[in-house]
Amino acid sequence: MEDVAERAGVSRALVSLVMRDSPKVSEKSREAVLKAAGQIGYRPNLMARSLASQRTMTIGLVLNDLHNPFFAELADGVHNAAVDAGYRVVINSGFGTAEGESGAAATFLEYRVDGLIMAGPVLSDSQIENIGDETRLVLIAREIPMRTADMVTNDDAVGAQLAIDHLVSLGHTEIAHVDGGVGAGAAGRRAGYVQAMKAHGLDRSVRIVPGDFTESSGAAAIDRLIGHDSPPSAIFVANDLSATGALHRLEQLGLSLPEDISLVGYDNTALAALGHIALTTVNQPRELMGGLAVKMLTDRIESGGEAGTHEVIAPTLVVRSTTGPAR
Amino acid sequence: MEDVAERAGVSRALVSLVMRDSPKVSEKSREAVLKAAGQIGYRPNLMARSLASQRTMTIGLVLNDLHNPFFAELADGVHNAAVDAGYRVVINSGFGTAEGESGAAATFLEYRVDGLIMAGPVLSDSQIENIGDETRLVLIAREIPMRTADMVTNDDAVGAQLAIDHLVSLGHTEIAHVDGGVGAGAAGRRAGYVQAMKAHGLDRSVRIVPGDFTESSGAAAIDRLIGHDSPPSAIFVANDLSATGALHRLEQLGLSLPEDISLVGYDNTALAALGHIALTTVNQPRELMGGLAVKMLTDRIESGGEAGTHEVIAPTLVVRSTTGPAR
DNA sequence: TTGAAAGCGGTACCAG
DNA sequence: CTGGTACCGCTTTCAA
């Protein structure tokens, strides 16, 4: 910067003003500075700038796991909204583990990011609370009882209800649910399933088999469900990957969808959209959720408000080829 | 840090030494400092540290696109190797566009990362060269003629050869290739296909149809290939996603794999491993490639060596259920 | 408008 | 081993 100033024949302070697009610089000086900067390939040093201004203009994004397409799409929403608001976002993966996640968060904390967004964190409530004490924090797809963070989640109960309503409207009455265990949102989906079944007077048909968001657990669930007395005519699975595993096992068993059995997943990941899978599934508006998280964060950064807001987004149902009329 | 020093009754310099695990600090002082730091929840400021030390100990990773599982797995390799070497890595997506990519790179340049890894960049050779002029750069899955960056790629020609050899050994002689257009590695795979066909004396059966790494282009390719005179008995597709599209279309046409036709993909993404797809495909050792990229980078950071190394990794073939004997 | 000077939170060198 | 001190590169008053 010193060099730029010298070359342009002005002071360092003036260069600083130009780099920050300050309006109080004469057109002439501005041009001279920009020209000089271009000539020597000057690039502002973010570390120095942030150290002095106490602002980084960057948002840290910790993704539960890079492999899950759900988070990749969430990242798009976060990125777009952040850029619109004048922030840059830097990403880190938690690799699905508590250690990875706290490491990722620690990095951002040491970098003094202006705010942190954690998508589907697996850390304990208290660990998350600690992070929220150190920086402005927004959680996506995870709720904690403390008010140290803002949260944006989708309404899992409504999502489950959407799925069940759809199946019931197709004439299904024997509808089983493949659970997601401790996976994010699984509890809400399970509760929503039970509730929706009751609402349709199908209390006695409620049937839940365990699962854990993996492909293999979906296949295993089918083995428990089919081949015994009174197999269900439709299945609501707590996530797309497990649903895909279930789909495959059903076909191995010689059943065809949706003629013999109907299947609904959750999340509407890219996987579900594959022509080959074409899974009917519940969609979480990821772009919207990511954008909302950014808005909550930047609002807080700029207004200095308190944390504790919780936005709940309504999911939608995407009907594809795995659901059809009951026979 | 001032506070920590005061509380521990020592100087700031001493605290700094402790935070950096310097060996030249008495056990007593160290304990006092650590205790004081813990009490007031002190966390070192990376910006300040980097500004003073001119080192960030962080590697920037620009991924072509977060949605492609290939890059997610690459990130694992990069992350593991980096952590082992004492570096932290921060990720940014290029969103598959030149603008996104240069924005991501610019952020890292302004953050003065110690080194940059770009996986499957779409930027032009000269743009990449410019980045290489500003920081230590390693490219993965992309070659440029300049010596301003290190590169690690898989040998696409060998990968194609693996696929063709496998098909030929199963008795196939009519083997078509679905191209990947301008996609990363597509040119090498195409050339490898042609070369391998020639090596087997199958010059006259060479048949290439266009594609672009999308699911739909795979389906479209099948439409061009099947239903005309002399359809191939096997198809080598330049990437997994297109292969999945092809697979689906083949099944729609009532053909079963591998009985009626064999199919091979490229990349061995998580998609190919799904029980439902079970695609035979060429595997690029991602973990290894990511680790290698980090090693090249850290070597250069620490020894100050020159760029220009190009490591070529041999791919392997993963045989699943989409290939079988020619009938 | 422009220039000077005082930090921001550390590191690193040097003398004690 | 420990404390003092000069920066790192930029922002931010404050005067001129």
Side-chain angles (χ1 to χ4, degrees), chain A residues 1 16 20 42 49 52:
Chain A
M1 180 177 251
S16 174
R20 280 176 286 147
Y42 170 76
R49 166 178 294 187

Side-chain angles (χ1 to χ4, degrees), chain B residues 1 16 20 42 49 52:
Chain B
M1 178 177 252
S16 174
R20 281 176 284 149
Y42 169 76
R49 166 180 293 185

